[in-house]
Amino acid sequence: PMGEAAVPELDAVLGGGGWDVGVSLEGPPEPSCPVRLGRSACYVVLAVLFDEEERVLLVQEAKPECRGKWYLPAGRMEPGESIVAAMRREVKEESGLECEPLTLLVLEERGPAWIRFVFLARPTGGTLKTLEEADAESLQATWWAGDPCALPLRALDILPLLDLAARYRRSPPHPPTLPQELPCAHVCLRLLVTFANASGDLWVLLGTAGTPHLPVVACGTSPAEHRGGLRLPVLRLLRGCLRPDPRPGPLGLLGLQHRAGGAHGVCFNVALSLADGNRRDAPPELCSPAFCWWHVEEESLRGRILQRCQGAAAVPVRS
């Protein structure tokens, strides 16, 4: 059956791993130029760390526009860095501590123009930066046990991130998810689009060009998409192949792929389910031969897909 060829790719994606993006993407022509950090894309890393006493790591800003205020360790990724290396560097520069990532907590994005990777990490060494060691990166760092709002914060956007980190530590909703070392020239999405009916039957959308595969769509192919969020290219693709107008659920991140050096792109492996507003027994009709619905009959694979796609067992994507 056609869908069997996609099983190895599905296994990798469901397990948080990676899969070669390939040379052809679904939808409109890919962007004419590869993504470049500092030009067509901005990647930001942020880390949430706790010590053994449940205190959170905060750093005091040195930048003129927010000097003296407190924030989580964060900063822009530099060309040639991996995402994890950038996170470790920022934590070291701003707090004096070494760390290792535990999982990606949330992906925050405004399209390729601005993507922030928020990690939960743990300290592995180093010493807290003091005022005597203040530099252009930060003034000092501290383990804070109280309400962060008792401090003058650079921005309140870290409060929901702290809450998310605390909840993840108590009961992880998704397995540990970390970047995989695979190259990608563009910012793109590999889509695990599913439809399940009331009887529990499950279908997965596949691209049919070449070996059947999960569709991959480029982001930033137009000025509107460059800053419009990752959901826009998803809607573009679905509206081009399904009728009636699809109603996809929220995006959930199953994994991501990036390799330091060379190309600066990232492939996000995302899952979304189609809402069954009309209580259909079968998925929406396709209007493009470039795609097909694969009915997943193997019980264990069907269970894994449903668990990851419909049980909120994925890294949230916030636009």
Side-chain angles (χ1 to χ4, degrees):
M2 176 173 286
E4 296 300 323
V7 170
E9 181 184 11
L10 267 169
D11 280 336
V13 170
L14 290 170
W19 195 261
D20 183 32
V21 172
V23 295
S24 62
L25 307 180
E26 275 73 29
E30 62 189 41
S32 57
C33 298
V35 65
R36 286 287 179 263
L37 283 180
R39 292 186 180 181
S40 56
C42 176
Y43 302 155
V44 177
V45 291
L46 180 147
V48 185
L49 288 84
F50 295 93
D51 68 1
E52 295 178 352
E53 299 175 32
E54 304 296 319
R55 298 177 298 180
V56 66
L57 178 66
L58 295 176
V59 296
Q60 193 172 33
E61 297 282 2
K63 302 180 187 68
E65 63 271 20
C66 54
R67 187 177 180 85
K69 296 187 177 181
W70 295 83
Y71 205 65
L72 293 168
R76 294 189 178 190
M77 186 171 148
E78 298 176 355
E81 282 186 310
S82 72
I83 300 170
V84 168
M87 185 274 293
R88 285 174 165 154
R89 173 184 55 77
E90 288 292 345
V91 171
K92 177 65 174 178
E93 290 177 349
E94 295 191 354
S95 74
L97 300 182
E98 306 283 350
C99 73
E100 68 174 11
L102 298 175
T103 186
L104 195 68
L105 272 178
V106 63
L107 181 73
E108 300 178 317
E109 58 88 18
R110 301 168 196 159
W114 189 88
I115 299 173
R116 184 159 76 171
F117 305 88
V118 179
F119 287 92
L120 177 65
R122 72 175 187 91
T124 57
T127 56
L128 281 178
K129 179 185 284 189
T130 64
L131 281 173
E132 289 72 26
E133 300 166 304
D135 55 21
E137 300 296 334
S138 67
L139 300 179
Q140 62 178 323
T142 188
W143 290 111
W144 184 255
D147 182 353
C149 289
L151 295 171
L153 297 178
R154 169 183 153 186
L156 298 180
D157 64 338
I158 66 171
L159 297 180
L161 302 181
L162 293 174
D163 179 63
L164 190 63
R167 285 190 281 118
Y168 188 94
R169 282 159 56 85
R170 290 193 301 268
S171 179
H174 58 80
T177 304
L178 294 172
Q180 302 297 305
E181 289 282 333
L182 280 172
C184 186
H186 307 288
V187 176
C188 59
L189 301 170
R190 175 181 282 110
L191 305 177
L192 176 51
V193 180
T194 62
F195 177 90
N197 64 19
S199 301
D201 293 314
L202 176 71
W203 289 263
V204 170
L205 184 70
L206 297 179
T208 57
T211 302
H213 59 278
L214 297 178
V216 179
V217 59
C219 303
T221 59
S222 69
E225 285 189 5
H226 189 66
R227 296 181 179 274
L230 300 182
R231 195 172 176 84
L232 287 181
V234 175
L235 291 173
R236 168 174 34 87
L237 181 137
L238 293 179
R239 287 169 178 166
C241 72
L242 299 177
R243 56 171 171 246
D245 194 26
R247 297 192 301 148
L251 298 179
L253 182 68
L254 301 174
L256 63 158
Q257 305 171 196
H258 172 269
R259 176 172 288 170
H264 299 165
V266 182
C267 179
F268 298 104
N269 299 327
V270 299
L272 69 155
S273 58
L274 296 182
D276 184 15
N278 297 319
R279 299 191 178 278
R280 303 171 184 271
D281 290 328
E285 180 184 354
L286 290 165
C287 55
S288 169
F291 301 92
C292 71
W293 284 111
W294 172 44
H295 186 211
V296 182
E297 297 181 349
E298 202 279 314
E299 189 65 27
S300 64
L301 178 60
R302 187 175 67 88
R304 289 176 63 203
I305 295 172
L306 289 172
Q307 191 269 336
R308 291 303 305 271
C309 297
Q310 300 187 335
V315 176
V317 179
R318 295 179 177 173
S319 301

